[in-house]
Amino acid sequence: MSIRQKLLALVLLPLAGVLPLLGLLLLLWGNEAIDRLLIMKVRSDLAVAQGYFERVLAEVASGTEAVAQSHRLHVALQRGGGPELTALLDEGKRRASLEFLNLVAPDGRWIAGDGKPGVRPVAVPSGTLGPTASVERLDREALAELAPSLLPRLGITLVPTPNAAPTDRREEDRALVILAVAPVHGADGRRVGYLRGGVLLNRNLAFIDHLNEIVYPEGSLPFGSQGTATLFLDDVRISTNVRLFGRERAIGTRVSQAVRDAVLGRGSTWLDRAFVVNDWYVSAYQPLLDRHGQRVGMLYVGYLERPFTWVKYGALASIGAIFFTVMIAAAWVSLRWARAIFRPIERMAATMQAVEHGRADARVGRLANEDELARLAGHLDHLLDVVDEKTRALQRWAEELDAKVAERTRDLEESNASLQHAQEQLVRSEKLAAIGQLTASIAHEVNNPIAVIQGNLDLVRELLGSEASRVHAELRLIDEQVERMRLIVTQLLQFARPGEYAGYVEPVDVEQALEASLVLVNHLLAKTRIEVHREFGSPRPVAINRQELQQVLINLLVNAVQAMPEGGRLTLRTRAWDSRGAAIEVEDTGPGLSEELRAELFQPFVTRKKDGTGLGLWISRSIVERYGGDIRADNASPHGARFTVLLPGDGAPGALAPAG
């Protein structure tokens, strides 16, 4: 990992890791805090609604008690009741804002007011000493005995509601009433009956709207949220300002099963979000208990969640945006500070890399900040200057030393070459001297017997006369062998004393000499399946004795023919050499030359033939060298041997006149 990456990781890791984590924690905390505030708000709303509901209970109880304790009621009872008592009860009902008020005997028998004659002591608690008010769940018959005029407000059709508990009922025909009972006493203090008054909560829109106005007065909810209040009989809405379609109230809809189980089933207070009819509300549900402690309904308040949700998301988004902006700004500032650190280090690293790649003049240069890194960069540049100066000095010394070593090496090579050449010349001279003495002695000793043999052979022919024809073949064979011995002796003497046998030097056309030599070996070519191929380059004439050149060429041709006993291809090639000289190549397709044979090829008495003398190539090279030329041998491609005769041109500086 580079220094840039390490610094970036060191700078950005807290920003990219810690700040987002803190932002996430803040968002989660903010979301939880806002939800808690919403729950606290709806809890306080429920407390207000509960207080109002209890005040209504108290007002119904006090209103009923006021009528029960009024002097006029006692007077009307003493006079035997009648229209005066009915008018008194109607006036007391209006004054206490009650929907029904009637007087019954201690045994529950109807006496006067709303209701109808009959005996139904269910709604009259026995042993009642003072006024009481409670929420009661009554069936149709019980309500008919209390207030027949209120029966049309029963029969609420149940509306299918999402998430509600399954039910087979289609209609809610029961009543939920606030019922107050106050004892009525006579002049002697004896209880003469009970006064029953109350309010029917079914479809009591005025009551629920007034409750909603108290809990959620206009302008109390921000962001366009709407507050709602509802009274439930069991899980059915019997009074509500929650709208179902347009301006139609959601009477007859039911609460969700989750809320029903919590409030009516377990008696808990629900403080959470809930799906109300067709939308989500921040809701509070509280059970309503009758005088026996049975859960007969629910009181609900709540407000629309969506506006607060948008506000919450907006606030959380603002917090996130602020954190993101702060993180970006902090990252930008941190990167600029980090850049002031890693840029000088990168420049120093790049400078060192450039120096390593051969740019000795690379330097960090002056940095913008005058800090420790700038001083370090200056020290590095100074060190590189010193190293560069020392390196140039070492290079100069090395060059001078290399020049002196090269000069001494050349001198040694020249001396060694001269010494080697002199040694070779000395060895060759010693060999030539020894061979010359040997060959001269052999030639002298052999020539005498040859002369004797030739003389006696001539005497035999003379003495035999015509009879010599009978042994003509034998005599001819003796002549040939004698001639062969004389030729060998002549070659030995020619090598031993070349100056005595040198011929006349003249301009010779190498191609004509090659053709003439080829004619002389035709008898050998006729016995083989050798194909002769010519590649003549029309070189200039060379300065040499014609007979000696033919002797050299015939020797090379014979060697090439003997290297291809099974046939092959003989290539004769001429070309220019050394601008004025000529080169003659004799190439065969035989087995070629081994490395061992090439090392000693032109030495005397070296041969691979059974009947060879090993003097042919030695003598041929000596002849060519005598005229300033050379013979070279190598292997041809792809196989075979190639001998190249190099001869200087006519009048060339390299041409040597033979000694005469």
Side-chain angles (χ1 to χ4, degrees):
M1 182 181 292
S2 64
I3 187 65
R4 175 194 288 262
Q5 294 172 333
K6 291 180 180 178
L7 285 174
L8 290 179
L10 185 62
V11 170
L12 296 181
L13 185 59
L15 297 176
V18 177
L19 278 183
L21 181 60
L22 291 176
L24 180 61
L25 293 176
L26 181 59
L27 292 177
L28 294 177
W29 176 83
N31 182 63
E32 182 68 20
I34 293 175
D35 290 343
R36 288 181 178 273
L37 288 175
L38 296 178
I39 297 301
M40 291 177 60
K41 162 67 178 170
V42 79
R43 185 196 298 272
S44 65
D45 296 342
L46 179 62
V48 173
Q50 178 66 22
Y52 173 73
F53 192 81
E54 291 176 354
R55 190 182 72 180
V56 170
L57 287 175
E59 288 177 353
V60 170
S62 62
T64 303
E65 182 185 18
V67 175
Q69 294 179 358
S70 66
H71 177 70
R72 292 177 57 189
L73 178 63
H74 293 129
V75 172
L77 288 174
Q78 290 176 359
R79 294 176 180 177
E84 182 181 0
L85 181 58
T86 301
L88 176 62
L89 293 178
D90 290 340
E91 182 182 354
K93 180 175 62 175
R94 289 192 301 271
R95 185 178 299 166
S97 300
L98 302 177
E99 290 189 313
F100 64 88
L101 183 65
N102 55 42
L103 179 64
V104 296
D107 59 358
R109 179 175 51 83
W110 179 82
I111 298 175
D114 296 305
K116 61 181 181 179
V119 179
R120 190 177 178 89
V122 177
V124 181
S126 60
T128 302
L129 300 177
T132 62
S134 62
V135 180
E136 300 295 334
R137 180 176 57 194
L138 305 178
D139 56 17
R140 176 177 284 272
E141 290 75 11
L143 182 64
E145 293 181 2
L146 284 175
S149 62
L150 300 180
L151 290 177
R153 287 164 57 182
L154 302 185
I156 297 174
T157 302
L158 299 185
V159 179
T161 308
N163 302 325
T167 183
D168 295 331
R169 295 190 302 152
R170 296 290 180 267
E171 186 180 54
E172 179 58 74
D173 201 31
R174 295 173 296 176
L176 188 68
V177 298
I178 298 177
L179 178 62
V181 179
V184 179
H185 299 87
D188 54 359
R190 183 175 56 86
R191 183 180 301 168
V192 296
Y194 293 95
L195 195 63
R196 299 185 302 182
V199 177
L200 176 64
L201 298 178
N202 293 46
R203 301 184 190 275
N204 197 333
L205 303 183
F207 172 80
I208 202 67
D209 288 344
H210 186 61
L211 173 64
N212 189 69
E213 289 177 1
I214 291 176
V215 178
Y216 299 112
E218 185 177 358
S220 63
L221 292 175
F223 316 121
S225 181
Q226 298 177 359
T228 57
T230 301
L231 285 172
F232 288 87
L233 173 56
D234 283 345
D235 63 347
V236 180
R237 290 180 177 85
I238 58 173
S239 292
T240 182
N241 56 10
V242 177
R243 306 297 174 174
L244 183 59
F245 302 109
R247 300 187 62 83
E248 181 181 355
R249 296 180 186 251
I251 295 176
T253 59
R254 302 167 61 216
V255 78
S256 65
Q257 184 171 0
V259 176
R260 184 182 187 278
D261 294 341
V263 180
L264 295 179
R266 299 188 296 272
S268 304
T269 299
W270 179 278
L271 296 171
D272 203 347
R273 62 193 303 264
F275 191 78
V276 178
V277 181
N278 55 10
D279 211 338
W280 287 94
Y281 284 74
V282 181
S283 306
Y285 294 84
Q286 181 172 304
L288 296 177
L289 307 179
D290 62 6
R291 67 177 184 275
H292 301 296
Q294 298 295 322
R295 293 184 284 273
V296 296
M298 293 182 292
L299 174 64
Y300 157 83
V301 292
Y303 48 88
L304 195 62
E305 182 189 38
R306 186 185 304 113
F308 290 95
T309 301
W310 286 112
V311 171
K312 177 177 69 174
Y313 289 159
L316 296 179
S318 300
I319 294 174
I322 292 173
F323 259 83
F324 184 76
T325 303
V326 171
M327 185 176 68
I328 294 298
W332 183 78
V333 174
S334 300
L335 286 177
R336 286 189 60 88
W337 288 349
R339 188 178 180 184
I341 297 175
F342 67 73
R343 284 296 296 274
I345 297 176
E346 285 183 339
R347 286 180 60 178
M348 286 187 282
T351 301
M352 295 301 297
Q353 187 174 7
V355 172
E356 290 177 357
H357 285 79
R359 289 183 52 195
D361 58 340
R363 296 295 183 270
V364 179
R366 184 178 181 83
L367 298 179
N369 298 328
E370 296 295 335
D371 52 10
E372 291 81 358
L373 290 176
R375 291 193 292 272
L376 179 61
H379 291 324
L380 178 60
D381 286 346
H382 176 69
L383 178 61
L384 291 176
D385 291 337
V386 174
V387 171
D388 186 39
E389 181 181 355
K390 300 299 183 182
T391 301
R392 285 197 297 267
L394 289 175
Q395 288 177 348
R396 288 195 304 270
W397 297 339
E399 290 173 357
E400 294 175 359
L401 181 60
D402 289 342
K404 293 180 179 180
V405 170
E407 183 180 357
R408 295 294 178 86
T409 302
R410 286 194 300 270
D411 293 342
L412 289 175
E413 289 177 350
E414 293 176 358
S415 301
N416 188 32
S418 299
L419 180 60
Q420 186 175 3
H421 182 69
Q423 185 177 8
E424 290 177 353
Q425 291 293 333
L426 179 60
V427 171
R428 187 173 180 184
S429 298
E430 291 178 352
K431 288 183 178 180
L432 289 176
I435 293 174
Q437 293 176 1
L438 179 60
T439 54
S441 175
I442 293 174
H444 177 72
E445 295 298 330
V446 172
N447 275 334
N448 291 331
I450 290 175
V452 172
I453 293 172
Q454 187 65 52
N456 289 326
L457 185 59
D458 292 338
L459 180 59
V460 169
R461 284 196 182 93
E462 182 179 350
L463 293 177
L464 290 178
S466 59
E467 294 295 330
S469 59
R470 296 174 59 185
V471 290
H472 177 71
E474 287 77 3
L475 295 177
R476 185 175 58 81
L477 180 59
I478 295 174
D479 285 335
E480 290 177 356
Q481 296 303 318
V482 170
E483 183 62 26
R484 182 183 177 189
M485 288 188 293
R486 184 180 292 111
L487 179 60
I488 292 174
V489 172
T490 302
Q491 288 179 347
L492 289 173
L493 291 175
Q494 184 179 4
F495 177 75
R497 294 192 287 252
E500 298 178 3
Y501 290 88
Y504 179 72
V505 179
E506 58 181 331
V508 178
D509 189 328
V510 294
E511 294 179 359
Q512 292 180 358
L514 195 56
E515 289 289 353
S517 301
L518 193 60
V519 172
L520 296 177
V521 296
N522 263 338
H523 64 285
L524 297 177
L525 294 173
K527 299 177 182 179
T528 61
R529 291 174 296 177
I530 296 177
E531 176 187 355
V532 179
H533 182 69
R534 298 172 177 81
E535 295 180 5
F536 292 161
S538 300
R540 293 183 178 183
V542 297
I544 195 172
N545 181 265
R546 184 183 299 273
Q547 284 73 25
E548 289 183 314
L549 177 58
Q550 286 186 356
Q551 179 182 348
V552 173
L553 295 178
I554 290 172
N555 189 21
L556 296 178
L557 292 173
V558 170
N559 288 342
V561 171
Q562 292 176 350
M564 299 181 289
E566 303 298 329
R569 177 170 178 161
L570 176 62
T571 301
L572 305 178
R573 187 180 296 111
T574 62
R575 56 182 172 83
W577 172 71
D578 198 17
S579 73
R580 296 185 62 184
I584 306 171
E585 294 182 1
V586 179
E587 182 178 315
D588 60 64
T589 57
L593 305 173
S594 64
E595 291 297 329
E596 181 183 0
L597 181 59
R598 289 178 61 183
E600 54 185 13
L601 188 61
F602 292 100
Q603 296 181 11
F605 306 112
V606 175
T607 181
R608 295 295 185 268
K609 303 175 186 178
K610 293 182 179 180
D611 57 349
T613 62
L615 297 174
L617 289 177
W618 191 18
I619 295 174
S620 298
R621 191 176 195 182
S622 300
I623 293 173
V624 173
E625 287 180 346
R626 201 164 60 240
Y627 292 97
D630 193 12
I631 298 179
R632 299 173 184 174
D634 59 352
N635 286 319
S637 178
H639 54 81
R642 178 173 53 240
F643 287 85
T644 304
V645 181
L646 303 175
L647 294 170
D650 184 19
L656 297 177

